[in-house]
Amino acid sequence: MERLFIAIAALLGGTAVAAGAFATHALKPQLSERLLAVFETGARYQMYHALALLLVALVRSQALGAPGLLTSAGWAFVAGTAIFSGSLYALALTGQNLLGAVAPVGGGALMVGWGCLAVAGVLGASKPE
């Protein structure tokens, strides 16, 4: 699971960098300041959660937290990033405000991920210290 999370985190991080560069170089002349800010928010949160997914992989590999909760945290970060950032990218590129209504679902998944990570840390791993 750790290797999969590392690979997904690397893909999310790399595409976040690409999205930021795309926003700066290609979209800046095309979008309003508001829509450009929306796109950049998607890229920023994608990068944050790529790093969070790496953290989950590291914590899981070191058996520092409850593995099931860490797995749940990782998948919540993946799903939340796809939904949250994806909906913001789509909103910025299409201007369809209805797409912005999907972002809170992704944000909720991201919060679930952070909650799972917190509980996994509190409960710790099943192995003795």
Side-chain angles (χ1 to χ4, degrees):
M1 187 60 58
E2 292 86 356
R3 288 180 183 196
L4 178 60
F5 282 165
I6 290 168
I8 294 169
L11 290 171
L12 288 174
T15 55
V17 171
F22 180 64
T24 299
H25 299 291
L27 294 180
K28 194 170 188 175
Q30 307 294 325
L31 297 180
S32 69
E33 283 188 36
R34 180 181 89 68
L35 290 179
L36 186 61
V38 166
F39 193 94
E40 289 172 342
T41 297
R44 185 171 55 253
Y45 275 74
Q46 182 175 333
M47 182 58 78
Y48 292 158
H49 290 89
L51 296 172
L53 189 57
L54 278 177
L55 175 67
V56 167
L58 176 65
V59 169
R60 199 173 187 286
S61 74
Q62 297 300 307
L64 298 174
L69 283 168
L70 290 169
T71 299
S72 295
W75 287 118
F77 287 150
V78 170
T81 300
I83 297 166
F84 182 80
S85 294
S87 67
L88 292 184
Y89 295 147
L91 167 63
L93 294 172
T94 67
Q96 297 295 318
N97 287 330
L98 181 60
L99 293 168
V102 178
V105 174
L110 295 173
M111 289 186 280
V112 166
W114 286 108
C116 287
L117 183 56
V119 174
V122 169
L123 293 181
S126 57
K127 73 176 194 176
E129 294 186 32

